[in-house]
């Protein structure tokens, strides 16, 4: 036996813990630098846009994305302080699209989600949204859930100050379209109008 052989070093628990911590910090720093350079991405349930949520439908309790499976889902963000001349046409377009495609046997669920859940209570949403688009489903939720869903659907979080002194959240510039399986399908400009939105859904339906 060679008594002069250098004994093999063993990793003790404290030393191993230090190494793991250093690696974790390095990975976290790398992820931070990447997000700084390229921006964070949204990827929920395999969707670049969209994902899971639990929101409150007026008078119907909680709803989730699973409640709308089997329908083309239109998702748009606004608040009830938005000038009706700006947001009203979008609500009408979504409502009229549902009616137009229902005549073809195509199910559509138009969802209008408030960006201001602290001020937009159920009565406010009803009084604002339903006269403008009576087939739209207005949704609200806790501030944390609304913030999360807005990020999932890439909705803006920006306040607009009107000349009359009122302030409102900038409405989403695009309507997000989810297919009947709950996957992101595409978008359309919020000012596109009913005919353009119906055409867009037809295109997405036959894309495959």
């Amino acid at each position: 036996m060679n008594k002069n052989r250098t004994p093999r070093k063993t990793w003790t628990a404290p030393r191993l813990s230090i190494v793991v911590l250093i690696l974790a910090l390095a990975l976290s720093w790398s992820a931070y630098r990447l997000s700084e350079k390229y921006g964070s991405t949204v990827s929920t349930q395999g969707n670049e846009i969209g994902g899971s949520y639990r929101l409150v439908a007026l008078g119907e309790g909680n709803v989730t994305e699973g409640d709308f499976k089997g329908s083309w889902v239109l998702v748009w963000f606004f608040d009830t302080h938005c000038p009706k001349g700006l947001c009203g046409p979008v609500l009408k377009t979504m409502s009229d699209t549902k009616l137009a495609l229902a005549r073809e046997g195509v199910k559509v669920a138009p969802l209008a989600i408030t960006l201001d859940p602290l001020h937009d209570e159920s009565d406010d949403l009803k009084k604002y949204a339903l006269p403008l688009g009576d087939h739209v489903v207005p949704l609200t939720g806790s501030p944390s859930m609304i913030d999360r869903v807005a990020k999932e659907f890439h909705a803006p979080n920006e306040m607009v100050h009107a000349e009359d002194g009122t302030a409102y959240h900038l409405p989403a510039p695009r309507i997000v379209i989810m297919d009947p399986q709950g996957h992101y399908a595409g978008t359309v400009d919020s000012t596109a109008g009913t005919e353009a939105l119906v055409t867009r859904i037809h295109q997405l339906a036959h894309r495959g």
Side-chain angles (χ1 to χ4, degrees), residues 44-57:
T44 306
Q45 294 186 352
N47 292 323
E48 180 184 355
I49 299 177
S52 61
Y53 51 82
R54 181 179 295 275
L55 297 170
V56 179

Side-chain angles (χ1 to χ4, degrees), residues 183-201:
H183 301 134
Y184 168 69
T187 66
V188 68
D189 195 282
S190 61
T191 62
T194 302
E195 183 177 350
L197 182 50
V198 169
T199 299
R200 179 67 170 140
I201 293 174

Side-chain angles (χ1 to χ4, degrees), residues 20-36:
V20 171
L21 178 60
I22 291 172
L23 288 173
L25 289 173
L27 289 172
S28 297
W29 175 250
S30 297
Y32 169 76
R33 295 301 297 169
L34 285 172
S35 66
E36 281 272 302

Side-chain angles (χ1 to χ4, degrees), residues 12 20 31 48 68 78 89 111 119 122 137 143 175 186 195 198 207:
T12 62
V20 171
E48 180 184 355
F68 304 107
F78 77 116
L111 311 182
H119 297 102
S122 295
V137 180
I175 299 169
E195 183 177 350
V198 169
R207 185 170 57 182

Side-chain angles (χ1 to χ4, degrees), residues 66-128:
D67 292 311
F68 304 107
K69 288 288 181 67
S71 298
W72 288 89
V73 181
L74 312 178
V75 183
W76 183 64
F77 293 82
F78 77 116
D79 75 25
T80 62
H81 290 90
C82 177
K84 291 184 178 179
L86 175 63
C87 287
V90 187
L91 294 168
K92 187 176 189 314
T93 289
M94 294 170 68
S95 182
D96 289 349
T97 296
K98 175 183 172 67
L99 290 176
L101 288 174
R103 300 187 192 104
E104 303 176 17
V106 178
K107 294 181 179 179
V108 175
L111 311 182
I113 304 174
T114 179
L115 288 166
D116 192 5
L118 291 177
H119 297 102
D120 287 351
E121 297 181 353
S122 295
D123 287 344
D124 299 313
L125 286 168
K126 287 179 183 177
K127 291 176 182 177
Y128 184 97

